[in-house]
Amino acid sequence: MTNGTDAILTGEPLYRVEGLTKTYGSGPTAVHALRGVDLEIGSGELIVLLGPSGSGKSTMLNILGGLDAASAGHVWFDDADLTGCDDRALTAYRRQHVGFVFQFYNLVASLTARENVALITDIAADPLAPEAALAMVGLDARLDHFPAQLSGGEQQRVAIARAIAKKPRVLFCDEPTGALDSQTGILVLEALQHVNQTLGTTTLIITHNAVIADIADVVWQFADGQLVDRRRNRVRRTASALRW
Amino acid sequence: MSHLARLDWLPVLDRKLLRDMWRLRGPSFAIALMIAAGVGMVLMSFGMMRSLEATRDAYYDRYRFADIFVTAKRVPRHIVADLAALPGVRLAEGRITAGALAALPGVAEPINTRMHSLPLSGRPMINDLVLRQGRWPEPGRANEILANEAFVQAAHLGLGDVMSVILNGKREQLQIVGTVLSPEYVYAIPPGQIFPDNGRFAILWADRDMLAAAFDLTDAVNEIMLRVESGTDRADLIRRIDTRLASYGGTGAYRREDQISERFVANELRQLKTMTTVLPPIFLAVSAFLTHVVLSRLIDTEREIIGLLKAFGYRTAAIVFHYLKLALLLSLGGMVLGTLFGTWLGRGLAVMYQQFFVFPFLQFRIDPDLYALALLAALGSVMSGCLFAIRRAAALTPAAAMQPPLVAHYGGRIAAAIGQMRGLDELTRIILRGLVRRPLRTLLTAIGIGAALALYIASASSHDNVERLIQVSFDQAKREDLMISFTEPRGPDALAALGRMPGVLRVEPLRAVGAILRHGAATKREGITASTPGADLSRLVDIAGRVVEPPESGLIVSTALARSLAIAPGDHVEVEVTEGRRPSWSAHVIAVVDSPIGAPAFMSIDELDRRLGEGARLSGAYLAIDDSQRDEILRALRDTPKIGGIAIIEASRRAIRDTIAETMGIMTLFNTGFAALIVFGVVYNNARVSLAERSRDLASLRVLGFRKSEVAYLLVGELALLTLLALPIGIGMGIALSHYIVDTFSGDLFTIPFALTPATVARAILVVFTAAAGTAWLVSRRVGQLDLVAVLKTRD
C-alpha cells in the first residue's frame, strides 16, 4: 500500500504533477474529470492506470501526453511546465519525447509496416532504423505488408514499433490490448515490456484489465477524478505469465 | 443542433435527413453552387437567346424589314408597281440609294456615307425608321436629313449639325434634324469592310427629289425592296424579279438572309449561342460528379446505420427513398438559387446585347418550358450522380453492413512501385497511394478541374485568335493605307492620276464585281475580287499568313464558299457577273483557300477584264501614302470627283479591335468567374471528402507529433497533384473546345484562325491554381480543428 509519493519513487522524477484539475463545461452541467491530482513519475518506470470509465485516467494521460490542457494545476516534464505551453510547443513536445499506442492501432492503411514506422523516424532526431524497431516487436518478417494484410496483434505491434522507433522518453498506451484476444494481447504486452526493459522508456498503460497491473512497477487506481490508490509491485511478472 | 431539435412532428428518418443536411452543409453548398450555375446558365443562355431572337423578329416585323432587296442602274417608277403585282408580293417600294463622301468641319478624314431617299410624304412603307431624337424632315426642305444614331454618337455630332456631302461631284450642305435606327442597319458595315466603323460611316436619309436630281434619277429608282407573303417560293420570285429588271441594269435580287447587316446579326447570334451552350453541360456534369462523391462518402460512413435499419425491418425501398430525398434536398437550394440567378443574369445580358445590337426595344422573357427544362436537367444531373451510391446502399445486407469496416485494402503493383520510389517521404507516399486507390475519383476530379481550365482557355483564346486574324488581315493581306472605291468602273488613267498625287508612295488596282455563282442546285451571290500577280499592297493571304497569287485563269474560292456550293479544286462553277454586260462563263476552281477576311472568290484582273470585255477597268485603288501628308491627301481625295468611298485601313483595324474587345472582354470575365467557380466546387468538395475520410489519420499524425502544416500537406499536396494532373487534361480539352468554337464562329464572312498562345495557357493555369490554392487554404484551416482526444478512442 502507499506510503506517499517519495516512498515508491525509484528513479529521477520525469514528471511532476501538482493539483491537476480538469473540468469540462461549467455550471451545474460541468464534468469534473480530474480533481486536484498530485503525483510523480520516475524515469524508466512502467505504470499501469486502472479505473472504471469516467474515472479520469484517460484525461490524465491526455494531459500528460500534451493532447489536452489542464483547467488548473501544473505538469512538469523535466523542468518544463507543460500546462503553459501553446499548441506549437506541445506539438514539439510530442514530436521529440512522446510515443503513443492507441486501442485501434491507428496505422496509416496506405503505408506498409516499414513505412508506418518510417513515417515517424523521418521526423525524429536520433531514431532506430524502422527495421530494428519492427525486429524489437518480432515483426522483422512482415516489413512490407500493408495493415490490411496483418492481424490485429501484428498491427498493434507495428504501432508499438512506430511509437518507440524515435526512442521517446515516454510511451503512452491507451487500452493497447482492448481490441485484441488474450493470446494476442499478451504478445503485445510482451513487446511493451521488452521495450521498457531494453530501452528504459517510461511507459504508461491505461487498461480495464486488472490482470495487466502485474507487469507494472507502479499501479495507479483512479476513481471519480482522483488518484485513490498507488502501489508498487514487489515482483513484476512477465507478460507471458499472464492469463485472462 | 438545438435549432433542429424540435422536429418531433417529422418521421425519424426525415429528422435524420435534415440533420445530415446540416452536417453536409459545406459540400452541399458546393453542389448547390454548381447546380445553380447549371440551371442559371440554361435559363440565362436560352432565355437571352430566345429573347434576342424574339426582339429581332419583332423589330423586323414592326418596322417592316424587307424580305427581298434588288438594286439596279435605273428603274422607272411604274416598274415598282409591276413588281408589287407579282404573285406572293405584299408590298414593294423603290428608293434611291447612293454612296457618297462627306466632310465634317475641321476633320480631314472623310466620312463614307450611304444615302437613301425618303418617300415624298409619310414614312417608308418598307424598312421603316425608329426616330430616336429630333424630328422627321419637313416636306419640301431638301437640305434636312436623318442620320443613323450610331454615327451621330460616334462622331460626336448633334441635332442641327451640318454635313458637307459630295453628291455625284456636287457639294450639298445637309442638316441633321433627327437620329434614327433602322432594321437594315442593326450593323452598319462600310462597303468593302467587314466590321462596323460607326465614326466614319454614316447612313443618311434625304429628300428624294434632291437625290433624284443629283443622280439623274428623276421618276426612277435604283433600289427596290419587297415584303412577301409567307409561304411564297422566294427563289422563284427572285427569278421573276431578275427577269423583269434585266433590261434596267438589275444586279440580281437577294433575300434578307444575304443582306449584310442581317448576316452579321445572324452570325453574332449563332456565336453567342455556341458560347452560351458550352457552359451548362459542364456545370451539370460537375454537379453530378460532386453529388456522387458526397453521397458515396455518406453511405460509406452510414453502412452500419443502413444495416441496422434493415435489420429492424426497414425496406430497401425506404432506404433508397431516404437517400434520394437527401440528394433532392441537396439540389433544391441550387435550383432555387439558379432560377433566380439565371433570370437575373439573362435579363442583364439581354439588355447588354440589346445595346450592342442596337435594337430599339427588348422583349425579355423566359418561357415556362425553359424553367421546366432547366430544372429537369438539374434533376437529371443529381439523380445520375447519386445512382451508384444509392445502389450500393440498396445492395447492403444487414449482416454485412453491421460488421465493422475492414481496414482499407492497399496493395498491388502500383502501391508496391510507389514503395520503391526513392527520395519520397512517407506523407507523399500516403497521397500517391490514396490517389491510385480510387482511380476513377482521381480521374474525374482531375477532369473536373480540367474543365475549368478548358473553359478559361477556350474563352481567352478567342482573344488570341482575333489578334491573329487582325495580324494576318492587316499586316499581311491589307497592307495599304487607303482603299479607294470609285463610284463606277474607270480606266487605267484614273490609277495613274492617283499615283501622281503628292505623298502617294504606291498605288495598285482594285477590281471587284458582283456575281452569282452556281454549282448544281446551289447558288450564291458573292463578290469576285481580282488582283494582279505580284501585288504588294492588298493580297490574298491564307489563314497561316501565306500569300496566294491570282491564278492565270480560273477561280480561287474560300473554304466557306466552297462548302456552300459543294465544290472542290478541279470542279467547274458557273459565274454570272451581275453588272456591266453581265457575262457568264464556266470557271475552273483552281484552289480552295482558308482566307481570314473576305475575298470569297478571287481571280486575275487580266482574265476578268477579258471576260467583261470592257477593256482594262478598275473599281478602285489601294494606296500607300506618306503619313506626314495624310491629311492633305485625304482632303484632296475627298474633293476628287467619282470617288465614292475611302477606307482608312488603320481606322478599320482599330474599329475591329474595339468591336471585338467589347464583347470578348465581357465573355472572358464571365468565364474566368465560372472557371474559378468550378475549381472551387470540385476542389472544395474533394478536400472536404478527403478530410472526412482521413480525419482519423490526420488526427493520429497530429498526436504523433506532426505539425499542422505537415498534416495539412496531406490535403494540400493531394489537391496540388490533382491540379497538376488536371493540367494536361484541361489543356487538351481547352484546345479541343477552342477548335470547336473557332469552327462554329467561322462563317462565310470571315474565317477565324486558331492561335492559342502559351501566355493564355499560362494565365489559365494561374487562374486555376489560384482558385485551387484559395480553396485548399480554406479547407486546410480545418486541420487545426481536429479532435486529437477523440481519435484515441474511435474506431473510425
Side-chain angles (χ1 to χ4, degrees):
Chain A
M1 278 288 136
T2 173
N3 297 318
T5 312
D6 293 340
I8 62 167
L9 193 65
T10 51
E12 285 295 303
L14 184 63
Y15 286 94
R16 279 190 297 124
V17 175
E18 280 182 15
L20 194 64
T21 302
K22 178 70 185 179
T23 310
Y24 294 103
S26 58
T29 59
V31 175
H32 302 281
L34 288 176
R35 304 166 185 263
V37 176
D38 300 314
L39 53 80
E40 287 188 348
I41 300 173
S43 193
E45 287 182 334
L46 195 157
I47 299 167
V48 167
L49 287 74
L50 295 172
S53 289
S55 61
K57 57 188 192 303
S58 287
T59 306
M60 185 75 217
L61 189 131
N62 291 341
I63 294 172
L64 289 177
L67 300 176
D68 207 351
S71 306
H74 290 278
V75 176
W76 279 279
F77 173 75
D78 280 345
D79 291 326
D81 187 355
L82 293 182
T83 38
C85 286
D86 61 6
D87 179 75
R88 185 184 294 264
L90 286 177
T91 301
Y93 156 72
R94 293 197 301 272
R95 190 181 180 104
Q96 287 161 25
H97 304 298
V98 184
F100 280 97
V101 175
F102 310 94
Q103 180 176 5
F104 299 107
Y105 336 128
N106 294 39
L107 296 178
V108 179
S110 58
L111 295 180
T112 62
R114 190 206 309 259
E115 290 164 352
N116 261 290
V117 179
L119 185 66
I120 300 303
T121 57
D122 278 358
I123 60 165
D126 176 29
L128 299 171
E131 295 77 11
L134 284 162
M136 279 189 84
V137 295
L139 280 180
D140 31 351
R142 317 215 46 152
L143 295 174
D144 294 319
H145 288 65
F146 285 97
Q149 298 164 324
L150 298 169
S151 71
E154 287 172 329
Q155 288 186 51
Q156 191 59 300
R157 283 188 283 156
V158 174
I160 293 169
R162 177 177 69 179
I164 56 148
K166 68 178 167 194
K167 295 194 260 180
R169 303 272 300 277
V170 59
L171 189 58
F172 293 108
C173 311
D174 196 350
E175 299 277 7
T177 60
L180 303 171
D181 62 65
S182 66
Q183 222 175 340
T184 317
I186 285 165
L187 283 177
V188 166
L189 290 175
E190 278 178 341
L192 287 173
Q193 207 170 30
H194 179 61
V195 168
N196 173 250
Q197 281 162 5
T198 52
L199 298 179
T201 310
T202 307
T203 305
L204 276 81
I205 302 174
I206 286 185
T207 182
H208 277 99
N209 187 346
V211 177
I212 294 173
D214 290 352
I215 66 167
D217 293 310
V218 180
V219 181
W220 294 340
Q221 181 78 43
F222 275 81
D224 200 21
Q226 283 172 314
L227 180 57
V228 292
D229 184 30
R230 51 190 125 185
R231 65 182 156 85
R232 174 168 291 277
N233 286 326
R234 291 215 173 78
V235 183
R236 283 175 61 178
R237 297 178 67 186
T238 57
S240 56
L242 298 183
R243 290 290 175 274
W244 68 84
Chain B
M1 203 92 55
S2 56
H3 53 296
L4 284 175
R6 271 185 236 124
L7 296 169
D8 312 351
W9 51 277
L10 268 180
V12 179
L13 268 190
D14 288 343
R15 278 182 244 169
K16 168 184 173 303
L17 197 76
L18 288 180
R19 290 180 184 139
D20 285 345
M21 282 286 298
W22 178 247
R23 210 156 42 83
L24 293 171
R25 62 193 180 279
S28 50
F29 176 64
I31 295 176
L33 272 187
M34 290 303 124
I35 289 175
V39 168
M41 293 300 296
V42 170
L43 291 178
M44 182 207 84
S45 53
F46 287 92
M48 179 188 72
M49 287 307 308
R50 281 195 194 177
S51 299
L52 285 177
E53 280 168 352
T55 300
R56 174 189 63 177
D57 293 346
Y59 180 28
Y60 285 177
D61 192 54
R62 205 177 297 175
Y63 289 88
R64 300 180 299 281
F65 187 33
D67 295 309
I68 290 176
F69 294 78
V70 54
T71 54
K73 256 193 138 55
R74 180 192 170 87
V75 184
R77 297 188 61 79
H78 67 270
I79 301 293
V80 178
D82 288 359
L83 293 184
L86 286 174
V89 175
R90 202 146 39 120
L91 211 57
E93 188 175 37
R95 68 182 179 187
I96 297 168
T97 293
L101 285 179
L104 293 175
V107 181
E109 290 183 5
I111 308 295
N112 293 297
T113 67
R114 182 169 295 140
M115 309 286 302
H116 292 302
S117 64
L118 285 167
L120 283 181
S121 63
R123 292 160 58 153
M125 289 190 298
I126 299 180
N127 296 347
D128 195 7
L129 303 173
V130 185
L131 187 68
R132 300 281 275 190
Q133 267 194 321
R135 57 172 176 81
W136 291 80
E138 293 283 340
R141 286 200 195 161
N143 68 332
E144 291 186 348
I145 52 167
L146 298 172
N148 65 319
E149 186 185 56
F151 162 70
V152 171
Q153 286 175 351
H156 308 293
L157 297 176
L159 295 180
D161 282 346
V162 171
M163 295 176 70
S164 164
V165 185
I166 301 161
L167 295 174
N168 212 10
K170 189 174 167 232
R171 189 181 295 272
E172 296 280 358
Q173 302 296 325
L174 302 177
Q175 187 184 33
I176 301 170
V177 297
T179 63
V180 292
L181 302 180
S182 162
E184 64 178 315
Y185 294 105
V186 172
Y187 269 104
I189 318 271
Q193 297 186 35
I194 64 149
F195 272 93
D197 186 2
N198 290 332
R200 282 169 217 83
F201 182 48
I203 324 290
L204 306 177
W205 286 263
D207 181 68
R208 200 188 80 193
D209 287 345
M210 179 198 65
L211 289 179
F215 293 96
D216 193 20
L217 286 167
T218 311
D219 277 332
V221 295
N222 62 2
E223 186 178 26
I224 301 166
M225 298 152 305
L226 297 97
R227 297 265 294 168
V228 301
E229 308 283 354
S230 59
T232 306
D233 179 350
R234 292 176 193 214
D236 180 59
L237 183 58
I238 283 175
R239 266 193 299 278
R240 287 163 190 256
I241 295 168
D242 285 351
T243 312
R244 190 78 186 84
L245 293 185
S247 53
Y248 300 102
T251 59
Y254 58 94
R255 302 156 187 235
R256 180 193 283 182
E257 295 76 46
D258 289 325
Q259 197 261 353
I260 186 79
S261 164
E262 166 52 18
R263 261 168 84 173
F264 260 86
V265 172
N267 204 39
E268 283 287 340
L269 287 177
R270 197 162 49 80
Q271 292 175 5
L272 210 53
K273 200 177 266 178
T274 306
M275 283 308 277
T276 49
T277 47
V278 162
L279 283 170
I282 294 182
F283 281 105
L284 292 175
V286 170
S287 69
F289 166 58
L290 297 187
T291 308
H292 169 73
V293 171
V294 169
L295 228 67
S296 296
R297 163 71 196 158
L298 182 71
I299 286 172
D300 274 352
T301 56
E302 294 196 339
R303 55 200 294 276
E304 287 176 70
I305 300 170
I306 296 166
L308 198 73
L309 290 173
K310 285 188 173 179
F312 285 169
Y314 277 88
R315 290 197 190 87
T316 298
I319 287 163
V320 167
F321 187 52
H322 173 69
Y323 286 108
L324 271 181
K325 269 196 288 190
L326 180 69
L328 276 181
L329 275 177
L330 285 179
S331 57
L332 201 63
M335 292 190 197
V336 173
L337 196 65
T339 305
L340 298 174
F341 167 73
T343 310
W344 173 76
L345 199 62
R347 181 180 298 276
L349 273 185
V351 167
M352 194 186 85
Y353 279 106
Q354 174 218 355
Q355 288 163 0
F356 176 75
F357 284 117
V358 204
F359 292 140
F361 52 82
L362 173 70
Q363 292 191 335
F364 185 83
R365 63 166 203 267
I366 297 180
D367 301 320
D369 67 316
L370 258 190
Y371 284 109
L373 174 80
L375 296 181
L376 270 178
L379 264 184
S381 139
V382 169
M383 288 298 125
S384 61
C386 64
L387 207 63
F388 288 103
I390 292 183
R391 225 175 50 184
R392 231 179 28 235
L396 276 176
T397 63
M402 285 167 71
Q403 279 162 9
L406 297 169
V407 179
H409 203 91
Y410 285 82
R413 283 212 317 279
I414 301 178
I418 291 170
Q420 300 298 316
M421 290 182 191
R422 284 160 180 279
L424 218 57
D425 61 290
E426 308 308 327
L427 293 179
T428 308
R429 269 189 241 278
I430 296 176
I431 294 174
L432 288 179
R433 290 208 180 108
L435 290 177
V436 169
R437 182 159 177 271
R438 297 176 191 272
L440 190 66
R441 192 205 281 179
T442 301
L443 189 69
L444 287 175
T445 305
I447 291 176
I449 300 172
L453 199 62
L455 178 60
Y456 184 92
I457 288 177
S459 163
S461 69
S462 315
H463 183 262
D464 296 345
N465 298 342
V466 167
E467 276 303 312
R468 170 70 71 79
L469 175 78
I470 291 173
Q471 191 197 332
V472 170
S473 306
F474 290 95
D475 293 350
Q476 294 174 62
K478 298 184 73 61
R479 310 195 307 168
E480 71 273 20
D481 297 310
L482 303 175
M483 186 177 80
I484 311 289
S485 39
F486 301 140
T487 47
E488 56 192 36
R490 300 176 62 191
D493 49 332
L495 193 67
L498 286 171
R500 283 194 300 272
M501 286 176 69
V504 171
L505 304 176
R506 188 182 170 92
V507 52
E508 286 179 5
L510 182 167
R511 187 68 173 122
V513 291
I516 296 170
L517 305 173
R518 291 193 183 87
H519 180 251
T523 301
K524 196 86 181 155
R525 277 177 60 92
E526 283 295 358
I528 295 180
T529 311
S531 169
T532 45
D536 186 54
L537 295 179
S538 187
R539 315 179 293 185
L540 179 65
V541 169
D542 74 5
I543 211 157
R546 286 184 297 256
V547 177
V548 180
E549 291 290 347
E552 237 169 71
S553 86
L555 213 55
I556 290 177
V557 298
S558 71
T559 312
L561 180 60
R563 200 182 301 134
S564 59
L565 288 179
I567 48 175
D571 288 347
H572 279 80
V573 56
E574 290 301 314
V575 177
E576 183 193 334
V577 173
T578 55
E579 52 193 75
R581 292 158 33 150
R582 309 182 63 111
S584 62
W585 70 93
S586 171
H588 190 207
V589 178
I590 303 295
V592 174
V593 170
D594 247 337
S595 76
I597 291 184
F602 184 63
M603 63 190 290
S604 87
I605 281 194
D606 287 349
E607 192 194 358
L608 185 61
D609 282 341
R610 212 169 51 243
R611 298 281 185 190
L612 290 172
E614 299 169 358
R617 306 298 275 174
L618 307 176
S619 323
Y622 304 108
L623 267 57
I625 59 166
D626 177 355
D627 209 43
S628 66
Q629 300 184 52
R630 180 174 172 273
D631 286 5
E632 292 77 9
I633 294 171
L634 285 173
R635 282 205 180 86
L637 285 172
R638 201 175 64 194
D639 297 335
T640 305
K642 296 187 179 169
I643 288 184
I646 302 173
I648 302 164
I649 302 305
E650 186 49 40
S652 0
R653 184 189 185 122
R654 255 198 325 271
I656 289 184
R657 193 169 271 142
D658 291 350
T659 308
I660 294 183
E662 192 183 345
T663 33
M664 279 194 174
I666 293 163
M667 273 289 185
T668 307
L669 190 70
F670 262 91
N671 290 338
T672 306
F674 283 127
L677 189 65
I678 292 176
V679 173
F680 167 76
V682 174
V683 170
Y684 180 77
N685 222 299
N686 188 79
R688 283 300 300 269
V689 166
S690 195
L691 182 71
E693 285 174 349
R694 291 244 171 92
S695 61
R696 188 157 169 278
D697 277 354
L698 301 180
S700 299
L701 291 175
R702 288 280 291 135
V703 170
L704 294 174
F706 281 82
R707 301 190 186 103
K708 279 180 194 165
S709 57
E710 289 165 331
V711 171
Y713 167 69
L714 274 187
L715 289 180
V716 176
E718 178 180 275
L719 295 175
L721 270 180
L722 283 168
T723 311
L724 276 179
L725 187 61
L727 294 187
I729 298 174
I731 292 171
M733 295 198 304
I735 289 173
L737 194 58
S738 308
H739 271 295
Y740 169 70
I741 292 174
V742 159
D743 282 351
T744 47
F745 267 41
S746 296
D748 51 354
L749 292 163
F750 46 84
T751 304
I752 296 179
F754 176 78
L756 178 64
T757 61
T760 298
V761 176
R763 260 199 312 279
I765 293 174
L766 188 70
V767 166
V768 167
F769 262 101
T770 308
T775 313
W777 175 78
L778 207 66
V779 180
S780 67
R781 286 193 320 167
R782 288 175 170 264
V783 168
Q785 298 160 14
L786 289 169
D787 189 342
L788 301 191
V789 173
V791 74
L792 297 170
K793 290 291 175 197
T794 51
R795 197 171 59 193
D796 186 16

